[in-house]
Every structure is written in structure tokens, then in C-alpha cells.
Amino acid sequence: MRSRVLFPLCLTGLLLACASGGARSTPSEAASSDSGPVQPCSVNPTPPEGTTQVLITARPDGKVHFSSTTVQVRAGQTVSFVSQVQQDRCIGVSNSGLLKDGSQNPLPVPACQVASWKLRAADEPGTTTSLWSCPTSDCSKCTQSQGIRETINGTLEVTGRGED
């Protein structure tokens, strides 16, 4: 049976999941030590209205922070990743069947821009899948199989039916 509890995040790589029950961290402690300090955007993109948003921000210490590791969204709705850092990212989900046909998975999120997924409208409530990310503009170089050094583990959870 799959647990709905998120793996906590630790410092290392992009964001390291402590799946083995190691030290817990809060989302505000989730950080990255990519190739150097991550700089915030000089002008942040305007987040879209009416969608579930995950903000990708730079902390004062130059590391990356994701505003949420549990992304809850109704079927048929949209999840938008809003990058407020000067670094490209790729975001992926393990079960691409939750996404509307034609959705990119992994999803490239260019620096200082917004990218979105649309979920299929027919999915049942309670469906969950793991969410991951890594720092690159070439999503073919960033796969979940690279291991936890370069991934953030989280959960995309469908909380109810969307509009048909």
C-alpha cells in the first residue's frame, strides 16, 4: 500500500529525498547546492490565475526552495511551475498517464518563466504519483533513474474530479 506521506527533503544535489528515514527537514529548509549559488530573477514572471502553483525560489543563502512538495490538484485542472530563479529546471512525474495527452514529461521550466501541466479530467480522486526535478535545460539528461542526488521527491495528488 502506498503511503501518502511525503519524503522530507535534505541538503545536497538539487534537493535530496531522505527516504530512508534520516534527518527530517521542513520545506523551508529544502535546498540545493547546484553548480553554485542560484540567483533570483531580476523580474519575476506573473503567475497564472486559477491554477495550482509551485514556486521555485532562491533562498538568501543562494540555494533553491520549492514552495510545495505535495502538489494537490483536482483532475482536469492545471499545475503551474513558476520559476523565480535564473536557472532552468525540468520537472517530471512518475506516472505520465495523469497528464493530459500531449503534455511534456519531464516539463522544461525555463529560468524566470512559467510552465504548466494540464491533468486529465477522468482521473479518480486519491491518485498519487511521485514528483521530481533536476537543474538542466535538456530534459533528456534528467531522468528519475539518475537517482536521488539530482532529484527532489514529492507527490502530485489528484484530490477530486475535474470538470468534463
Side-chain angles (χ1 to χ4, degrees):
M1 179 181 297
R2 183 174 179 142
S3 170
R4 287 196 187 183
V5 177
L6 267 184
F7 296 125
L9 303 178
C10 290
L11 309 175
T12 123
L14 170 62
L15 294 171
L16 174 66
C18 307
S20 61
R24 292 190 168 266
S25 65
T26 64
S28 64
E29 294 169 346
S32 168
S33 60
D34 296 332
S35 58
V38 176
Q39 300 298 318
C41 298
S42 57
V43 177
N44 288 330
T46 302
E49 291 185 19
T51 66
T52 299
Q53 296 169 14
V54 178
L55 302 179
I56 303 169
T57 59
R59 293 184 355 178
D61 60 4
K63 296 180 180 178
V64 170
H65 170 68
F66 281 64
S67 63
S68 176
T69 55
T70 303
V71 182
Q72 294 184 326
V73 64
R74 293 181 62 85
Q77 293 187 339
T78 301
V79 179
S80 293
F81 297 92
V82 182
S83 177
Q84 298 178 347
V85 297
Q86 296 177 3
Q87 187 180 72
D88 294 342
R89 283 283 191 289
C90 288
I91 311 288
V93 290
S94 297
N95 179 5
S96 60
L98 292 176
L99 305 178
K100 189 170 181 179
D101 290 344
S103 293
Q104 290 182 278
N105 185 35
L107 175 71
V109 184
C112 304
Q113 295 185 37
V114 178
S116 300
W117 274 323
K118 176 96 172 172
L119 272 67
R120 292 188 324 131
D123 293 313
E124 293 294 330
T127 303
T128 62
T129 188
S130 63
L131 174 71
W132 52 273
S133 169
C134 72
T136 180
S137 58
D138 181 358
C139 293
S140 68
K141 294 181 179 177
C142 178
T143 63
Q144 191 178 19
S145 62
Q146 280 186 294
I148 67 176
R149 262 193 71 173
E150 296 185 13
T151 66
I152 171 177
N153 283 346
T155 301
L156 177 69
E157 180 173 354
V158 180
T159 59
R161 284 193 176 279
E163 297 176 12
D164 291 324

